[in-house]
Amino acid sequence: MNRQPNGSQPPMAMNSFQLAAGEPYPLGATITTDGVNFSVFSANATKVVLCVFDQNTHTEVAQYILTHKTHHIWHGELVGAQAGLIYGYRVFGPYQPELGHRFNHHKLAMDPYAKQLVGELKYDKAIYAYDVDDANADLSFCVKDNAPYVPKSVVVDTKALTDIKIAPIKRALNHSIVYETHVKGFTQLHPKLCQQSRGKFVGLASPVVIDYLSQLGVTAIELLPVHAFVDEPFLIEKNLKNYWGYNTVGFFAPHPHYLSADDISEFRQMVSSLHQAGIEVILDVVYNHTAEGNHLGPSYHFRSIDNASYYRLMPNEARYYINDTGCGNTLNINHPQVLMLVMDSLRYWVEVMGVDGFRFDLASCLGRENYGFDPCSGFFDALMQDPVLCQVKLIAEPWDIGPGGYQLGNYPVVFSEWNDRYRDTMRRFWRGDDAMLSEFAKRFHGSSDVFEHNGRGPSASINFITSHDGYSLHDLVTYQAKHNEANGEDNRDGHQENFSCHYGVEGETNCAAINTLRLRQKRNFLATLLLSQGVPMLLAGDEAGHSQQGNNNAYCQDRPENWFNWQKIDWELVGFTRQLIKLRKQFPLLCHQQFMHQPEALFDNGIAWFNKLGEPMTKMLWGEYHCKTLSVIVTGNLLQSEIGAVPENTQALLLLFNADDIQHTFHLPQLTHFPSWLCLLHTQQNTDGQSITIQPDGQYSLLPRSLMIFHSNFQGDEHDGH
């Protein structure tokens, strides 16, 4: 089939602007001295038409054919146009799905470089390039105009945004404490926010919200996607919404629903306010796929602009998409122009919007060459040589669902990685699984076995017990089976193996003994997370007892039950978390820049493991199948700025772990220069901060599934050298 449709064109209702040749760069809509320059890439188009819309009614009022093309970039300058102009593109070309071409000029395409989008997506059959009622499916052709049903692009004066000053934060990643949260979910129910601010960037920037974050002690927030996104058609049919936001339609535009007044400067103002409080902003970004889905998906932008260039297609069946993402399509970042799009987007969010870093969703997709994943891929090389982006925080979700997609530990040196081995190990250890001592120690140590091979330190490991994807911490100790019925997929979706435990009753219970154990486990998880080497990431609400009612895939649950409930906060647990964070900041030895090993000299940073009798661990002890007890001593310099180790600044922390379901007596290790220990924190009871007295013989009994944290100062004699 080689169809070139001849559908009727919308009338040229007005033509108040003159179209000049313009320039191919920069891409997108750029304010010039005389008007606005428009530039869009399409290698296979035969004609590109710029469409202008009325600012009040959003109806199409004018069209301008971009007659100039430079290296497949169509461009023109609309003389007299200004910021605020609403526009889109109609792109002509062959409709040949079998060859990978899906041009349909009846479908208005958003500008891939649009800095702002306006208008709601309204579900209608017109959003598809093909006739959804035709038996030939996507091989058919739809002539219905989609413009009334899709968002439009807006011309933005980006120079005005930078008038909002942002104080820089220079914090090394190894001293970061990341708080993963959701713009809407975190603020929607806050009782002290006005209705207009709830669920918005301005709400997240409000003094009451920032004060909570500051008091908690986190140093960075990692926001679930804030790039413009839309709901998938299958969710709309179920009366559900894409709550998480991993369904992008605009890589430059903030999500319109997070704006309180259609002013994208609200985002930069939010970053400015958070920076004033010493809190960095990291964005969860989705450059692996778009909202257009598979071959039966809708047409919003790339599909109509140049499907064969922007997406990775099956080599011998170009009608179909390579689906390494599980979301229907995969962005073709191997194409130089698509790579430029992603790099331009990243730089825009750093240089114009002021963010401090990125967490790349399904990052293995971004490292794929034609032969598979490559840590020296074009995208990774581009990031590492970029003078702006190589200096921000770069975090990979190190997997996708494609062949060889699991790549934990194989990313370039500039990356840190979400460490799911840490997550699963800590869950299994505290659940009481057998044969976990060695694995627990490796993860607590910062996973040197995974990350040290290419010269990275513990900060390469982003440690987490829970994240948005899976159970909350409360649900991890409350449910043994997932409860995703509300998602409308008969509970088939979500992780099957969660390494969770309900400790006797599925779901909530009035049993005091079970609730006491669950609370102790939550504290064990929080303490382990915040005292491990590596970068801790805390899921918003875990410190407050937030529950998702057992749903471990709450991506479509945009409802009060899934939002942060400010009226039902477990303030004792919040207080315990604050103490842990304060402890981490107080002792730099908990966040070493390089991996520690057995100390070779007296004042070296070091880590040493012992059994419950206070004896150094041996190969035989590590292999004890049923043993669930362990001790560790971490030593280091108290002062971050100190050059050279000296005795008076040498500190030690001792942690005792009992993951067994019975009580155990621990003997504290006997070290010459650390003869006395002070208990700083423990999970023995429901209250924290109690003073613990150590028996004269250096023994202490730990309750089932509990831990203790001790501190000691170096104590030497006159013969000790400095």
Side-chain angles (χ1 to χ4, degrees), residues 164-468:
I164 300 171
K165 301 303 179 184
I166 297 178
I169 297 177
K170 295 294 183 181
R171 180 183 294 115
L173 185 58
N174 60 301
H175 291 295
S176 296
I177 300 166
V178 181
Y179 191 75
E180 190 195 26
T181 192
H182 187 282
V183 172
K184 180 177 182 179
F186 193 57
T187 61
Q188 185 67 30
L189 296 179
H190 201 297
K192 293 185 178 180
L193 293 179
C194 66
Q195 195 62 42
Q196 189 178 9
S197 299
R198 295 183 180 185
K200 314 294 183 183
F201 296 126
V202 293
L204 195 55
S206 66
V208 290
V209 172
I210 291 179
D211 182 66
Y212 176 85
L213 295 171
S214 298
Q215 292 294 321
L216 186 60
V218 297
T219 68
I221 57 172
E222 183 176 301
L223 298 177
L224 267 69
V226 299
H227 290 176
F229 62 88
V230 295
D231 299 323
E232 294 92 331
F234 79 90
L235 288 179
I236 296 173
E237 292 173 357
K238 295 178 181 180
N239 199 30
L240 296 170
K241 292 182 177 294
N242 188 315
Y243 172 62
W244 286 349
Y246 294 90
N247 202 43
T248 309
V249 291
F251 293 127
F252 293 79
H255 187 51
H257 289 178
Y258 295 163
L259 300 172
S260 67
D262 295 328
D263 183 357
I264 65 171
S265 68
E266 292 177 11
F267 182 91
R268 184 172 169 97
Q269 184 59 61
M270 176 197 71
V271 176
S272 177
S273 298
L274 286 161
H275 269 223
Q276 290 176 35
I279 300 173
E280 294 180 296
V281 178
I282 299 171
L283 300 186
D284 195 335
V285 289
V286 188
Y287 295 111
N288 55 77
H289 75 281
T290 77
E292 292 188 302
N294 63 15
H295 64 291
L296 299 178
S299 293
Y300 298 131
H301 38 47
F302 299 137
R303 183 164 281 156
S304 295
I305 294 174
D306 192 353
N307 184 71
S309 294
Y310 283 101
Y311 291 116
R312 295 182 64 208
L313 307 179
M314 296 296 290
N316 299 317
E317 293 183 287
R319 176 186 177 186
Y320 303 106
Y321 297 83
I322 292 174
N323 186 21
D324 291 331
T325 67
C327 300
N329 63 58
T330 304
L331 203 64
N332 185 18
I333 204 168
N334 302 113
H335 191 291
Q337 209 66 48
V338 182
L339 176 60
M340 179 185 291
L341 169 75
V342 173
M343 296 297 291
D344 287 347
S345 169
L346 291 168
R347 277 191 297 269
Y348 174 79
W349 286 97
V350 173
E351 295 183 307
V352 178
M353 290 304 204
V355 305
D356 303 282
F358 304 96
R359 179 266 190 188
F360 294 91
D361 180 64
L362 299 182
S364 291
C365 285
L366 308 179
R368 283 189 179 276
E369 300 290 347
N370 292 333
Y371 47 82
F373 178 85
D374 186 349
C376 298
S377 70
F379 174 66
F380 293 154
D381 287 347
L383 271 181
M384 294 178 71
Q385 66 78 42
D386 189 283
V388 173
L389 299 176
C390 72
Q391 298 187 59
V392 303
K393 293 175 171 63
L394 303 173
I395 302 170
E397 183 184 39
W399 52 77
D400 64 21
I401 69 165
Y406 187 78
Q407 293 292 332
L408 180 69
N410 294 329
Y411 278 73
V413 66
V414 297
F415 274 90
S416 296
E417 304 174 34
W418 269 29
N419 190 347
D420 63 326
R421 285 184 64 179
Y422 179 94
R423 175 199 64 195
D424 294 347
T425 296
M426 297 313 176
R427 289 184 178 193
R428 294 185 61 199
F429 175 78
W430 282 112
R431 189 174 66 172
D433 288 13
D434 291 325
M436 293 301 299
L437 292 187
S438 177
E439 184 71 7
F440 172 86
K442 291 174 183 176
R443 302 311 136 230
F444 184 89
H445 180 231
S447 297
S448 61
D449 58 322
V450 177
F451 299 110
E452 196 174 18
H453 65 90
N454 64 350
R456 287 187 287 176
S459 61
S461 178
I462 304 296
N463 298 332
F464 63 104
I465 304 294
T466 61
S467 69
H468 70 275

Side-chain angles (χ1 to χ4, degrees), residues 389-578:
L389 299 176
C390 72
Q391 298 187 59
V392 303
K393 293 175 171 63
L394 303 173
I395 302 170
E397 183 184 39
W399 52 77
D400 64 21
I401 69 165
Y406 187 78
Q407 293 292 332
L408 180 69
N410 294 329
Y411 278 73
V413 66
V414 297
F415 274 90
S416 296
E417 304 174 34
W418 269 29
N419 190 347
D420 63 326
R421 285 184 64 179
Y422 179 94
R423 175 199 64 195
D424 294 347
T425 296
M426 297 313 176
R427 289 184 178 193
R428 294 185 61 199
F429 175 78
W430 282 112
R431 189 174 66 172
D433 288 13
D434 291 325
M436 293 301 299
L437 292 187
S438 177
E439 184 71 7
F440 172 86
K442 291 174 183 176
R443 302 311 136 230
F444 184 89
H445 180 231
S447 297
S448 61
D449 58 322
V450 177
F451 299 110
E452 196 174 18
H453 65 90
N454 64 350
R456 287 187 287 176
S459 61
S461 178
I462 304 296
N463 298 332
F464 63 104
I465 304 294
T466 61
S467 69
H468 70 275
D469 188 5
Y471 280 140
S472 69
L473 181 61
H474 178 83
D475 292 356
L476 183 65
V477 299
T478 307
Y479 297 92
Q480 209 146 292
K482 58 188 175 71
H483 296 271
N484 300 355
E485 291 81 6
N487 295 354
E489 299 182 43
D490 297 324
N491 205 32
R492 294 190 302 268
D493 60 309
H495 296 299
Q496 301 301 318
E497 181 53 82
N498 299 283
F499 305 115
S500 62
C501 185
H502 56 45
Y503 304 103
V505 175
E506 182 75 358
E508 304 297 336
T509 179
N510 293 323
C511 176
I514 292 177
N515 286 332
T516 297
L517 178 55
R518 288 175 177 176
L519 177 58
R520 194 155 68 239
Q521 285 289 66
K522 283 192 277 188
R523 293 181 178 226
N524 290 332
F525 281 124
L526 290 168
T528 304
L529 174 66
L530 287 160
L531 299 176
S532 296
Q533 298 293 311
V535 180
M537 186 186 77
L538 181 67
L539 174 64
D542 277 358
E543 80 285 3
H546 173 69
S547 174
Q548 297 171 175
Q549 295 78 50
N551 192 324
N552 76 347
N553 189 32
Y555 76 103
C556 57
Q557 298 302 317
D558 187 6
R559 55 194 180 96
E561 294 83 358
N562 203 31
W563 302 333
F564 192 104
N565 192 335
W566 294 87
Q567 305 284 12
K568 293 180 63 177
I569 291 177
D570 183 342
W571 285 107
E572 286 191 0
L573 191 59
V574 170
F576 182 76
T577 309
R578 287 174 178 170

